Amino acid sequence: MSLILWSHPYSGYGQKVHVALYELGLSFEMKIIDGADPDSLAGFARVSPFGKMPVLVDPDHGPVVETSIIIEHLDRIAGGGLVPTDPDAQLECRLIDRIVDTYVGGPMNRTAANRLRPLAVYDPTGAEADERALAQAWGWLEERLSDGRTWGAGDTFTLADCGAAPLMTYGRRIVDFGDRPRLEAWHARLLERPSFRRALDDAAPYGDLMPSEPGSFRA
């Protein structure tokens, strides 16, 4: 039995795991979570204790949740490649991963949810706070890249880049990078990475699901 990934191809966090799977060359079965299909939702509920995607089901281990833990689990299966072996490099990798997850992915997901609300309950104060958080993250990352590193945590592609590729791609649609050439160059390299190109191809059939304007949803 192969690895099973419960997710949706358009999910930024789902793409994070897709990138890792493709980088490591691991085969997997995709279970697309369909909110209109009761059977799909019931199956997802059985493996996801918090109702959050993605979830990896390893037949030798059971369900694995939280994208960074999923990728570390996959890295062990594959015999390494995405998590540095040097302790200091490991910490830098995990630091960049956590910054991107928390201060890029967090505001990005909240913004998408906020924009899907009817205008009557749209939260402009929350939107402004999330835009400030994204701008702060862009500035922090630009400074961190000032040592000349090629990828997010050093000179090799790691766990840190798996999440940065999709989350930065979505996040910059909310707050652009501005005058941050090192951040722009890193993101350009991520966009050219074959594993991320494959993840984008997986998402392409679903069109553009990121709401661009507040109040996009109509009850």
Side-chain angles (χ1 to χ4, degrees):
M1 184 184 298
S2 65
L3 299 167
I4 298 172
L5 184 67
W6 285 82
S7 187
H8 190 283
Y10 202 85
S11 161
Y13 285 97
Q15 288 178 21
K16 175 178 175 177
V17 177
H18 277 213
V19 170
L21 286 160
Y22 293 143
E23 285 285 335
L24 296 169
L26 295 173
S27 62
F28 67 101
E29 177 188 351
M30 181 71 178
K31 291 278 191 180
I32 296 177
I33 301 164
D34 182 353
D37 181 351
D39 291 336
S40 172
L41 293 177
F44 178 52
R46 285 194 291 271
V47 298
S48 179
F50 304 108
K52 300 291 186 181
M53 67 174 84
V55 175
L56 179 79
V57 179
D58 178 345
D60 296 323
H61 183 278
V64 185
V65 300
E66 293 299 315
T67 54
S68 300
I69 302 302
I70 291 171
I71 293 174
E72 295 221 26
H73 181 79
L74 294 173
D75 199 63
R76 290 184 181 182
I77 292 173
L82 292 177
V83 180
T85 56
D86 175 78
D88 290 337
Q90 281 184 8
L91 286 179
E92 183 67 12
C93 172
R94 292 184 176 117
L95 172 63
I96 300 299
D97 174 68
R98 298 318 309 141
I99 293 296
V100 170
D101 264 12
T102 304
Y103 300 106
V104 176
M108 180 271 291
N109 273 345
R110 288 192 297 270
T111 296
N114 195 20
R115 288 179 176 179
L116 286 169
R117 296 173 177 175
L119 280 174
V121 290
Y122 176 73
D123 177 14
T125 302
E128 290 174 4
D130 285 328
E131 289 172 9
R132 287 194 301 271
L134 271 169
Q136 185 176 21
W138 297 153
W140 188 92
L141 289 166
E142 175 74 7
E143 177 61 28
R144 203 72 177 183
L145 294 164
S146 65
D147 61 2
R149 65 186 67 181
T150 301
W151 298 105
D155 291 329
T156 59
F157 189 98
T158 68
L159 160 66
D161 301 286
C162 293
L167 299 181
M168 287 171 61
T169 298
Y170 286 140
R172 73 177 304 180
R173 295 173 61 178
I174 300 165
V175 175
D176 66 37
F177 291 155
D179 183 20
R180 297 185 174 97
R182 291 185 288 267
L183 189 64
E184 190 79 51
W186 175 33
H187 186 243
R189 289 190 287 273
L190 292 169
L191 287 172
E192 293 301 317
R193 190 77 177 186
S195 57
F196 185 42
R197 299 307 308 174
R198 288 183 67 182
L200 291 175
D201 288 343
D202 293 340
Y206 297 91
D208 187 352
L209 301 180
M210 172 67 82
S212 59
E213 299 293 338
S216 311
F217 175 76
R218 293 292 182 271

